[in-house]
Amino acid sequence: MADKPRYYVTTAIAYPNGPPHIGHAYEAIATDAIARFMRLDGYDVLFLTGTDEHGIKMLQTATKEKLSPQQLVERNVPLFMKMVERLNCSNDDFIRTTEERHHRASIGIWQRMEAAGDIYVGKYSGWYSVRDEAYYDEDETRLNEQSERVGPQGTPVEWVEEESYFFRLSAYQQKLLDLYERHPDFVLPKERLNEVSAFVKGGLQDLSISRTTFDWGVKVPGNAKHVMYVWVDALTNYITAVGYPDVDSAQFRRYWPADLHVIGKDIVRFHAVYWPAFLMSAGIEVPRRVFSHGFLFNRGEKMSKSVGNVVDPFALADAFGVDQMRYFFLREVPFGQDGNYSLEAIVNRINADLANDLGNLAQRSLTMIARQLDGVLPKPGAFSDADKALLAMADSMIVKAREAMRTQQLHQVLNAVWAVVAEANRYFAGEAPWALAKSDPGRQGTVLYVTAEAIRQVGILAQPFMPTAAAKLLDLLAVPLAERQFAMLGQGRRIAAGTALPAPSPVFPRYVESEGSA
RNA sequence: GGCGGGGUAGCUCAGCUGGUCAGAGCGGCGGAAUCAUAAUCCGUAGGUCGCCGGUUCGAUCCCGGCCCCCGCUACCA
């Protein structure tokens, strides 16, 4: 297996100035599903997530809570670590930008950009919005009803004048456009690339990349008065984790450039414009793809503390189960688009798709094997047309799944899988194995075998999405641990007949309304 | 203002380069079955495919105009 292809996938690093929310959970879940899918499909995967701990907003939040930034970080970051653990994410590393390795990497890339002549000292003065972490031209600001000056987003701005290092972003306009031209899939979904491309075509200004007004960040090499702009620092995490600045390390050579950065649509520009420009400047290969997912809305409303509809991912996991929660978000929301969720939608989905369609199909077929066939998976007779049709559909799942996964269409993978679940239910009802018990036991055995085989393939493909439940399902079918890879899917791969199966028990409980849930 | 994407059954949405394109899932309604987690299966939804014109033998899908929604972006003030 030494020549497994590699696959490096990342989430954006989360900004821990508060506890994790559902958006963080969503990104982690989706990226984990991708990572697990690729592993099962034979890739040597490196899956990275982490936290972006510097910047003035951290400092301000800390101050407000009478903490040092370090204390704030030590309080909040563990919550993010617990979240990915709770969500059953299989990340290989968890990077924190306060780590020494990350400071080294940030300094490294800075020095390379500087050596390339792309960094110069200038002076920056302007209206700065702390909340947006952005400067605005005077004419972009206005006075609100309280006569406070605010930026385009309505956030307060203050006049700031500071010496600043600048990155020669303007020099990269054509190179970036060339990149988009050569790799039309560099940003997905496609609409996002169009937006980015339009932005770049509109002209790029040099980017202020250091601050002197606070010191919670990575110090600029050779000038400790400055800390790096938080985005230089943050983006660099992706190469820190593979050993940068040691570009000759086995890790770096093996995993860089990253195959996929999964991010939220609000930070597309940083990943699709600034990041590749920084990398080009430093002489580092650019990542292969940036995928921008959408936002999650609670009953059509953006989550916000003031509306009081903030949902804690831990509470959601407690209420419905981690696998169920993962399934819901990945099935219900077309990946890349915004999504809506509500209690009813979650309950409907997990009861209909999981408990009723898949769980109950497994339960009814397996209890029949347990009770009527002594718990031994029957040996099939000759396959009828109906048998062949269901098997062919099951065999085709992996093909469709890979096709969908090529562009991260996670919901399409699940659609393909659940189409087989639905067909298997139709098949089961049509063949009525309960009636065959007396009339034609041989035929009953064949029907149960074919059903079990369909469930086996469904179970294997469900693993990236619902690791625990899928494993349990495969346990019930006595599928050996070593035979749960995608290589075991498709034509010619069949469940072993004659195997003794464990006593069946329901895999997906039905959700029944209790009192206080999420 | 510019660019881009949308407005299709109660809800969420599929419908590629015009002629079974009027569809799927969920919900609702009716029926069948009773092996199973009161789960499953079958049938049913008569919706001006945003509005108005046009091209065509024929348009949801092509063209023009208009209304509304969303994203990116610009500017006025």
Side-chain angles (χ1 to χ4, degrees), chain A residues 22-268:
Chain A
I22 203 73
H24 296 115
Y26 178 54
E27 186 168 302
I29 286 169
T31 310
D32 183 59
I34 293 168
R36 287 178 183 272
F37 186 102
M38 297 310 284
R39 274 194 210 100
L40 286 164
D41 209 14
Y43 289 77
D44 164 26
V45 171
L46 178 64
F47 169 23
L48 175 71
T49 189
T51 42
D52 172 17
E53 307 180 13
H54 295 309
I56 194 168
K57 273 194 286 193
M58 289 300 288
L59 191 58
Q60 289 176 328
T61 303
T63 304
K64 204 182 312 171
E65 303 192 25
K66 307 225 183 327
L67 298 171
S68 71
Q70 189 61 40
Q71 288 172 318
L72 176 66
V73 154
E74 295 317 326
R75 187 192 74 187
N76 283 352
V77 171
L79 299 176
F80 286 82
M81 292 174 152
K82 273 185 210 146
M83 182 191 76
V84 294
E85 192 182 327
R86 182 71 222 284
L87 296 176
N88 206 359
C89 291
S90 61
N91 52 299
D92 301 287
D93 196 352
F94 188 102
I95 191 163
R96 304 183 49 177
T97 55
T98 48
E99 291 174 296
E100 192 274 337
R101 59 171 173 164
H102 182 67
H103 283 248
R104 279 183 57 228
S106 301
I107 289 165
I109 192 173
W110 181 285
Q111 288 171 331
R112 291 294 302 273
M113 295 192 290
E114 196 166 40
D118 285 328
I119 292 181
Y120 62 91
V121 192
K123 198 173 191 105
Y124 206 103
S125 58
W127 292 101
Y128 184 73
S129 162
V130 170
R131 219 178 299 166
D132 300 349
E133 285 194 66
Y135 279 98
Y136 296 108
D137 290 332
E138 170 123 6
D139 59 7
E140 285 182 279
T141 67
R142 59 190 166 81
L143 294 175
N144 69 7
E145 299 75 29
Q146 286 78 44
S147 304
E148 297 168 322
R149 188 160 290 277
V150 297
Q153 316 299 324
T155 58
V157 294
E158 53 194 272
W159 184 257
V160 173
E161 224 174 280
E162 54 177 324
E163 181 182 82
S164 173
Y165 286 91
F166 284 83
F167 174 73
R168 229 176 272 287
L169 185 62
S170 57
Y172 287 87
Q173 175 171 11
Q174 195 51 50
K175 287 173 186 155
L176 288 167
L177 292 174
D178 291 345
L179 169 66
Y180 308 148
E181 178 80 21
R182 269 201 314 281
H183 300 286
D185 291 342
F186 177 62
V187 178
L188 288 181
K190 210 164 138 284
E191 313 87 77
R192 296 270 102 83
L193 180 65
N194 293 341
E195 291 171 2
V196 165
S197 173
F199 172 76
V200 173
K201 278 180 189 145
L204 295 173
Q205 295 191 327
D206 289 349
L207 190 65
S208 164
I209 53 166
S210 76
R211 298 290 125 95
T212 55
T213 47
F214 61 93
D215 67 352
W216 180 241
V218 180
K219 300 252 186 305
V220 167
N223 190 344
K225 283 196 317 228
H226 290 254
V227 295
M228 293 181 195
Y229 172 47
V230 69
W231 273 105
V232 174
D233 170 358
L235 291 161
T236 298
N237 93 85
Y238 302 128
I239 52 176
T240 300
V242 289
Y244 195 83
D246 185 0
V247 295
D248 294 319
S249 67
Q251 183 87 342
F252 191 86
R253 295 163 62 119
R254 173 75 174 151
Y255 292 107
W256 194 260
D259 293 275
L260 180 66
H261 293 315
V262 176
I263 62 164
K265 65 181 186 180
D266 52 331
I267 54 177
V268 169

Side-chain angles (χ1 to χ4, degrees), chain A residues 328 332 340-351:
Chain A
F328 173 78
E332 185 89 356
N340 266 302
Y341 67 96
S342 64
L343 239 106
E344 300 91 295
I346 298 176
V347 171
N348 276 347
R349 206 89 229 190
I350 68 182
N351 280 348

Side-chain angles (χ1 to χ4, degrees), chain A residues 153-468:
Chain A
Q153 316 299 324
T155 58
V157 294
E158 53 194 272
W159 184 257
V160 173
E161 224 174 280
E162 54 177 324
E163 181 182 82
S164 173
Y165 286 91
F166 284 83
F167 174 73
R168 229 176 272 287
L169 185 62
S170 57
Y172 287 87
Q173 175 171 11
Q174 195 51 50
K175 287 173 186 155
L176 288 167
L177 292 174
D178 291 345
L179 169 66
Y180 308 148
E181 178 80 21
R182 269 201 314 281
H183 300 286
D185 291 342
F186 177 62
V187 178
L188 288 181
K190 210 164 138 284
E191 313 87 77
R192 296 270 102 83
L193 180 65
N194 293 341
E195 291 171 2
V196 165
S197 173
F199 172 76
V200 173
K201 278 180 189 145
L204 295 173
Q205 295 191 327
D206 289 349
L207 190 65
S208 164
I209 53 166
S210 76
R211 298 290 125 95
T212 55
T213 47
F214 61 93
D215 67 352
W216 180 241
V218 180
K219 300 252 186 305
V220 167
N223 190 344
K225 283 196 317 228
H226 290 254
V227 295
M228 293 181 195
Y229 172 47
V230 69
W231 273 105
V232 174
D233 170 358
L235 291 161
T236 298
N237 93 85
Y238 302 128
I239 52 176
T240 300
V242 289
Y244 195 83
D246 185 0
V247 295
D248 294 319
S249 67
Q251 183 87 342
F252 191 86
R253 295 163 62 119
R254 173 75 174 151
Y255 292 107
W256 194 260
D259 293 275
L260 180 66
H261 293 315
V262 176
I263 62 164
K265 65 181 186 180
D266 52 331
I267 54 177
V268 169
R269 184 185 301 173
F270 299 102
H271 285 78
V273 180
Y274 303 163
W275 181 226
F278 294 163
L279 290 170
M280 287 178 202
S281 172
I284 305 168
E285 278 190 79
V286 302
R288 294 183 176 148
R289 176 169 299 167
V290 173
F291 191 98
S292 147
H293 67 249
F295 295 150
L296 261 21
F297 297 100
N298 190 335
R299 298 179 164 285
E301 284 186 326
K302 190 169 179 168
M303 270 193 318
S304 82
K305 284 174 198 157
S306 48
V307 181
N309 61 353
V310 176
V311 174
D312 170 19
F314 292 96
L316 212 53
D318 289 344
F320 298 106
V322 168
D323 284 319
Q324 284 85 348
M325 172 181 171
R326 290 171 59 114
Y327 175 81
F328 173 78
F329 283 120
L330 298 180
R331 172 74 196 271
E332 185 89 356
V333 182
F335 199 49
Q337 294 178 212
D338 291 342
N340 266 302
Y341 67 96
S342 64
L343 239 106
E344 300 91 295
I346 298 176
V347 171
N348 276 347
R349 206 89 229 190
I350 68 182
N351 280 348
D353 291 6
L354 300 183
N356 297 350
D357 288 348
L358 178 55
N360 183 55
L361 175 66
Q363 186 65 9
R364 68 201 296 211
S365 53
L366 290 174
T367 53
M368 207 174 289
I369 291 172
R371 289 176 192 165
Q372 300 179 10
L373 301 173
D374 298 319
V376 176
L377 188 66
K379 191 165 179 298
F383 290 132
S384 70
D385 286 347
D387 301 338
K388 289 177 190 162
L390 180 59
L391 291 171
M393 193 171 173
D395 291 341
S396 73
M397 266 189 304
I398 180 60
V399 178
K400 290 180 185 154
R402 285 197 182 112
E403 175 63 26
M405 193 52 88
R406 255 196 282 285
T407 52
Q408 288 74 47
Q409 295 301 284
L410 299 175
H411 60 294
Q412 296 289 23
V413 175
L414 288 170
N415 276 341
V417 174
W418 256 260
V420 170
V421 173
E423 193 53 41
N425 269 312
R426 277 188 283 276
Y427 166 85
F428 201 82
E431 299 300 319
W434 55 90
L436 292 168
K438 289 196 175 111
S439 66
D440 189 347
R443 180 62 198 153
Q444 181 197 31
T446 303
V447 170
L448 290 171
Y449 177 86
V450 169
T451 303
E453 166 58 12
I455 296 172
R456 180 188 72 93
Q457 295 209 34
V458 165
I460 288 176
L461 264 170
Q463 294 177 99
F465 305 91
M466 299 181 286
T468 305

